[in-house]
Amino acid sequence: MALETLSEHRCFCGVQGYYRHASAVIGLPMKFGVFVPPQAAQGPVPVLFFLAGLTCTEETFAIKAGAQRVAAELGLMLVTPDTSPRDTGIEGASAAWDFGHGAGFYLDATQAPWAKHFRMESWITQELRECVLSSFAARADRVGVFGHSMGGHGALTLALRHPSLFQSVSALAPIAAPTQCPWGEKAFTGYLGDDRAAWAEHDATELVKAGRKVPPLLIDQGLADNFLAAQLHPHLFEAACKRAGQALTLRRHEGYDHGYFFIATFVEDHLRHHAQTLAAH
């Protein structure tokens, strides 16, 4: 699969790079970032996919989270996909910050005109995964996924829907019950139509209720997050996990909001969670 290098930067004795490839799944060029730790020079290393939130790009986490130092220490590769197709030509795709460009919600749309290009689930779980495994020194049997907000939703749902692909999972301030919040209702109506049974297949709380399981989860949530009450609903996911016997550590933090200062504070804990879980796999 042809890979175009957009830029590469020395970082904590590894390399932070940005790349683009012609995606057959999406039907458009797609961008992503990869941090390759120094240990990859000696052989394949575990790889973590980080799924970013609304309005973000492939650069946001790599620039703002400060994750490379710990990833270099632990020997973890970090992959940061863009959050949607770009330049789709779809009328109105850039009209709202919470739907369309920058807001792919990590699913495959079924409704016109979105279904042609908005196929983020297939891109990440199939094409991008294979691109990373074939182009970088990444271990196919040590793959984790985590994310923030919309990307936390994506990390949870993709892991629950594709348990054989991901051996470790975590999330920061995820949209944990999207069928019960305005962001999710807007996105799912637009991408999936009015059938709420189809929505449930992309809702982490509903997937856990239906019996899907993943390795032990770590979730961090700030209590000063202005989206907590209306959009995120971690308490619903927590209750579903308790009833289903899904192992979950949900940590609530006074004073922390929804942004990257919160992510930067707790990202080391998430990287260590993944390193420990993957090492035990």
Side-chain angles (χ1 to χ4, degrees), residues 49 123-133 140 143 165:
F49 285 76
W123 178 56
I124 289 170
T125 61
Q126 299 172 24
E127 195 175 29
L128 179 59
R129 176 189 171 91
E130 289 307 313
C131 181
V132 169
L133 293 176
V143 181
L165 297 185

Side-chain angles (χ1 to χ4, degrees), residues 210-221:
R212 306 287 185 96
K213 287 194 175 182
V214 291
L217 291 167
L218 171 64
I219 293 179
D220 281 294
Q221 175 63 60

Side-chain angles (χ1 to χ4, degrees), residues 16-106:
Q16 176 64 57
Y18 297 103
Y19 309 93
R20 177 168 53 202
H21 76 126
S23 170
V25 167
I26 300 290
L28 292 167
M30 291 296 291
K31 294 180 181 179
F32 59 97
V34 180
F35 173 70
V36 179
Q39 293 88 339
Q42 278 72 53
V45 297
V47 56
L48 302 183
F49 285 76
F50 179 85
L51 308 183
L54 292 163
T55 77
C56 293
T57 73
E58 72 284 351
E59 295 183 328
T60 311
F61 178 82
I63 293 171
K64 291 186 174 183
Q68 292 93 339
R69 176 185 61 81
V70 179
E73 174 194 332
L74 298 174
L76 297 173
M77 184 178 297
L78 302 175
V79 179
T80 54
D82 199 355
T83 52
S84 80
R86 305 285 175 171
D87 301 317
T88 61
I90 298 173
E91 184 177 356
S94 297
W97 66 274
D98 56 355
F99 183 76
H101 293 160
F105 271 81
Y106 304 102

Side-chain angles (χ1 to χ4, degrees), residues 24-26 85 107-109 115-124:
V25 167
I26 300 290
L107 52 76
D108 288 356
K116 182 178 180 181
H117 296 304
F118 278 71
R119 305 188 65 221
M120 292 295 290
E121 178 174 9
S122 290
W123 178 56
I124 289 170

Side-chain angles (χ1 to χ4, degrees), residues 239-258:
C241 287
K242 185 175 182 179
R243 286 193 298 269
Q246 167 63 54
L248 167 66
T249 300
L250 173 55
R251 309 190 304 183
R252 295 172 170 91
H253 305 280
E254 292 286 349
Y256 285 92
D257 63 20
H258 196 67

Side-chain angles (χ1 to χ4, degrees), residues 195-251:
D195 180 4
R196 285 187 166 261
W199 295 15
E201 288 296 313
H202 300 279
D203 181 313
T205 297
E206 297 303 317
L207 289 168
V208 168
K209 287 181 181 178
R212 306 287 185 96
K213 287 194 175 182
V214 291
L217 291 167
L218 171 64
I219 293 179
D220 281 294
Q221 175 63 60
L223 293 180
D225 187 324
N226 59 343
F227 299 116
L228 176 56
Q231 303 284 10
L232 304 181
H233 300 326
H235 65 289
L236 298 179
F237 185 69
E238 182 180 39
C241 287
K242 185 175 182 179
R243 286 193 298 269
Q246 167 63 54
L248 167 66
T249 300
L250 173 55
R251 309 190 304 183

